[in-house]
Amino acid sequence: MRITAGRLLTAADLAATCLFAIEGAIVARYAELDVFGVLVIGFVSALVGGILRDVLIGSTPPASLRSALYPLTAFAGAGLVIALARVVEQVPVTLLQVTDAAGLALFAVVGATKAIDFRINWFVAILLGAVSAVGGGVSRDLLLNVVPGILRQDVYAVAALAGAAATVLALHLRLPRAAAMGIGFAICVGLRMLSVSLGWNLPRA
């Protein structure tokens, strides 16, 4: 069956939603929240970035609020962490970093691509890709009363910007949508994992 442009975006968006819900729920468990708190943090981590993106580009109501599939995916991801708590505790940190990078990249390329679809200026489309990628994590950190990680450490938002920029450039060069998103995804994940392995951080002000 031929994958349409809309289905490709939806599939990538849902995959990122699930990954970020799982990551948010893991962070919530480490913060010793109760079951409801874990579900809330998983939901926020997974959906806030996409909601912000859709509101800013004028796609309202946001995709994640038009279909029950998005919140169900978010709750399923968070619920999986609750149900498999002991297994999750044994997962290597490296694997969690890889899944986080994948979620970051998926949201960045989907956000940038969707912005271009709505005829948003290329520069703003890149910024919206980054907003999609980091919005949920920032909201999660604020709810947990910690300074958002993207403001104090790691090449995180920069990786999202790079992935979004690569996607926008590839689309401008009229590469197929799947190829453009694949290039952006690879660049974002590669830069993020390289920064983790080499301990890169942005200079402090």
Side-chain angles (χ1 to χ4, degrees):
M1 183 177 66
R2 183 172 176 270
I3 299 177
T4 64
R7 284 177 177 164
L8 179 62
L9 277 182
T10 300
D13 218 11
L14 286 170
T17 296
C18 185
L19 288 173
F20 267 25
I22 291 172
E23 187 207 3
I26 291 173
V27 172
R29 282 200 71 251
Y30 285 133
E32 299 183 347
L33 300 189
D34 62 17
V35 171
F36 180 74
V38 171
L39 290 173
V40 168
I41 295 298
F43 180 91
V44 168
S45 300
L47 297 182
V48 166
I51 289 173
L52 286 173
R53 171 200 69 209
D54 287 354
V55 169
L56 290 172
I57 67 176
S59 178
T60 55
S64 57
L65 300 181
R66 287 199 302 267
S67 167
L69 194 55
Y70 283 88
L72 285 174
T73 299
F75 285 133
L80 190 65
V81 173
I82 295 170
L84 302 176
R86 294 187 182 278
V87 176
V88 170
E89 290 173 356
Q90 306 303 318
V91 175
V93 173
T94 302
L95 179 58
L96 294 177
Q97 291 170 335
V98 170
T99 56
D100 176 59
L104 181 78
L106 284 170
F107 268 136
V109 301
V110 168
T113 302
K114 194 166 184 180
I116 291 296
D117 286 347
F118 275 73
R119 301 185 183 280
I120 302 295
N121 172 275
W122 67 269
F123 179 69
V124 178
I126 293 171
L127 296 179
L128 286 173
V131 167
S132 297
V134 305
V138 170
S139 301
R140 174 201 68 210
D141 289 348
L142 291 175
L143 285 175
L144 295 175
N145 199 30
V146 298
V147 177
I150 67 165
L151 301 181
R152 55 187 171 82
Q153 64 184 7
D154 297 331
V155 180
Y156 196 79
V158 172
L161 285 167
T167 302
V168 169
L169 178 59
L171 289 172
H172 178 71
L173 295 175
R174 301 188 183 283
L175 268 66
R177 176 178 296 235
M181 293 174 68
I183 290 170
F185 178 87
I187 287 176
C188 182
V189 170
L191 181 57
R192 174 61 184 150
M193 294 312 300
L194 194 60
S195 71
V196 169
S197 64
L198 298 179
W200 287 352
N201 285 295
L202 295 178
R204 294 189 180 277

